[in-house]
Amino acid sequence: MASMGAVNPSGHLLRSARTGFTYVPRRTLTASVPRRLPEDNNNNNNSDSPSALSSIKNFFFGGKSDAAKPKITRRPQAPPKREGALSADSIFAEDEATPKLIASGRTPAARKPAAEPTAAEDQEGADFYPVEKRNRVNMQTVLDPRPEARTRWERKMVVRDVRRRGRLTRTEQILRSERESLSKSHWFKTSVKKLGPLARQIAGKNIDEAMLQMRFSKKKAAKDVLEHLQHAKNVAIVRSGMGLGAAVAGEAPQKQPPITVTLKSGERKTISDPSAIYIAQAWVNRGPYGVDYDHRARGQINLLRPPYTGLSVLLKEEKTRIREWRDRDAAEQRKRKSNLWTQLPDRKISAQNQYYSW
């Protein structure tokens, strides 16, 4: 039996059957020399082409070759970006609408006065009318959706003022004569149990004294409370005009004699400035619960829910304390006077005798 190596492949048998054809492998180890077809077969022996000697001479002696230098072709660049335009009524609008292609930009120019719209433009662009030219009848459905209810409310307010004859209630008089400011803080990462003692500590104290207490407190939440008290004091001074005293612009404040009052708790306090700010009330607000992780042994992780709490303070002036002390003192005086003497019943005297009955 013949071996497998003696059997010729089918391709070799076919090539051997053809006459005048030798087998050439598809790929050899040596690279073949590349050949190039000349562009013009008729100019193969042209004498104008530079020889090898002339090329060497030009290289050493600086001769110039007549061959054209290759040109570098650059890729086309993207067009410059254009910024969006501003509307015509913008205060930053400019005269020119060309794009900004430099970093410094253009100098803003004054706006040109808008031309008055024509009758056709008035009908088409009615949404852009100035306020003076808008039709109030068409806007009543939005501005006054319930005219009958508004009329009834106005009539009710007029009747109330007529019945009172312009007199104000006790609450209205207090709100007009005394200032107050309510300030609520953001959420602190602490619990109600930890923030409650700090709120009770600063309640009833002067704002500066409370800030001093929080500055030297060892509690972790005292730092957040101190920042909130500073913010609340600034808001009370700027928005409500508290703590400014009786000073007028360009004049010195009038000094008043100190007043000693008795607080509701029985403590005596001397007030030298009736416009000083104190914390009338301080309470704690329970906030949301956050999410935190406690990494334990053996790859276990416990889910923690840290609480968040807020602080609210109501600031008032010392003149409120003086008014409250006077009200309490007047009520106590009336109560004492009512218990001094009791009216006897008006009845006839009977069973009189010149001798004692016992």
Side-chain angles (χ1 to χ4, degrees), residues 107-352:
T107 304
R111 290 188 300 168
K112 295 182 178 179
E116 296 184 358
T118 59
E121 294 177 355
D122 289 348
Q123 296 178 0
E124 295 177 358
D127 296 339
F128 304 96
Y129 281 173
V131 179
E132 296 80 7
K133 296 184 179 180
R134 292 180 182 178
N135 190 353
R136 296 287 179 179
V137 178
N138 298 337
M139 300 169 61
Q140 283 299 110
T141 56
V142 178
L143 299 179
D144 192 8
R146 300 177 60 188
E148 297 179 357
R150 177 185 55 81
T151 305
R152 288 195 304 268
W153 181 82
E154 292 178 353
R155 186 185 298 111
K156 181 180 178 181
M157 294 297 106
V158 172
V159 171
R160 178 182 298 180
D161 292 341
V162 171
R163 288 179 179 176
R164 292 181 180 176
R165 298 192 297 273
R167 294 173 296 183
L168 301 177
T169 61
R170 176 70 172 172
T171 306
E172 292 174 349
Q173 292 178 359
I174 293 175
L175 292 176
R176 287 194 176 189
S177 59
E178 300 175 3
R179 298 184 177 94
E180 64 179 30
S181 176
L182 176 63
S183 180
K184 297 182 179 181
S185 70
H186 60 280
W187 300 121
F188 303 149
K189 193 175 181 181
T190 182
S191 62
V192 176
K193 187 176 180 180
K194 297 178 181 178
L195 193 60
L198 294 179
R200 290 190 293 269
Q201 180 180 354
I202 63 177
K205 288 185 172 59
N206 187 278
I207 185 69
D208 297 328
E209 184 181 353
M211 292 167 58
L212 186 63
Q213 292 281 341
M214 294 296 102
R215 184 175 290 111
F216 292 100
S217 178
K218 297 181 180 179
K219 301 292 184 181
K220 182 179 179 181
K223 182 178 179 181
D224 298 331
V225 176
L226 174 61
E227 294 178 356
H228 176 58
L229 291 180
Q230 293 174 350
H231 171 73
K233 181 181 178 181
N234 297 335
V235 170
I237 294 174
V238 174
R239 294 184 181 178
S240 303
M242 301 171 59
L244 301 179
V248 188
E251 299 181 4
Q254 301 177 358
K255 294 184 178 180
Q256 299 181 1
I259 303 175
T260 303
V261 301
T262 303
L263 303 181
K264 194 174 182 179
S265 60
E267 178 185 358
R268 297 179 65 86
K269 181 178 180 61
T270 302
I271 299 175
S272 57
D273 184 11
S275 64
I277 305 174
Y278 79 99
I279 303 174
Q281 299 178 27
W283 64 91
V284 178
N285 308 315
R286 186 184 297 276
Y289 288 87
V291 178
D292 202 352
Y293 303 98
D294 183 18
H295 297 269
R296 305 292 296 178
R298 299 183 180 180
Q300 295 182 1
I301 300 177
N302 298 337
L303 183 62
L304 304 179
R305 302 300 302 275
Y308 285 83
T309 315
L311 178 67
S312 299
V313 291
L314 180 62
L315 305 182
K316 294 184 180 181
E317 293 182 339
E318 294 290 350
K319 62 177 64 176
T320 303
R321 273 180 173 172
I322 298 175
R323 191 258 310 167
E324 293 176 352
W325 166 70
R326 288 174 178 171
D327 292 345
R328 288 194 304 268
D329 188 50
E332 290 178 1
Q333 292 292 341
R334 289 193 301 267
K335 187 177 180 180
R336 288 179 182 178
K337 289 180 180 180
S338 63
N339 296 331
L340 288 178
W341 178 70
T342 304
Q343 176 69 34
L344 296 176
D346 188 9
R347 62 188 180 185
K348 294 181 179 182
I349 299 176
S350 60
Q352 293 185 0

Side-chain angles (χ1 to χ4, degrees), residues 62-83:
K64 296 182 180 180
S65 61
D66 298 336
K69 295 182 179 180
K71 296 182 179 181
I72 301 175
T73 58
R74 296 181 178 180
R75 299 178 61 183
Q77 298 181 355
K81 295 182 179 180
R82 300 176 63 91
E83 295 185 356

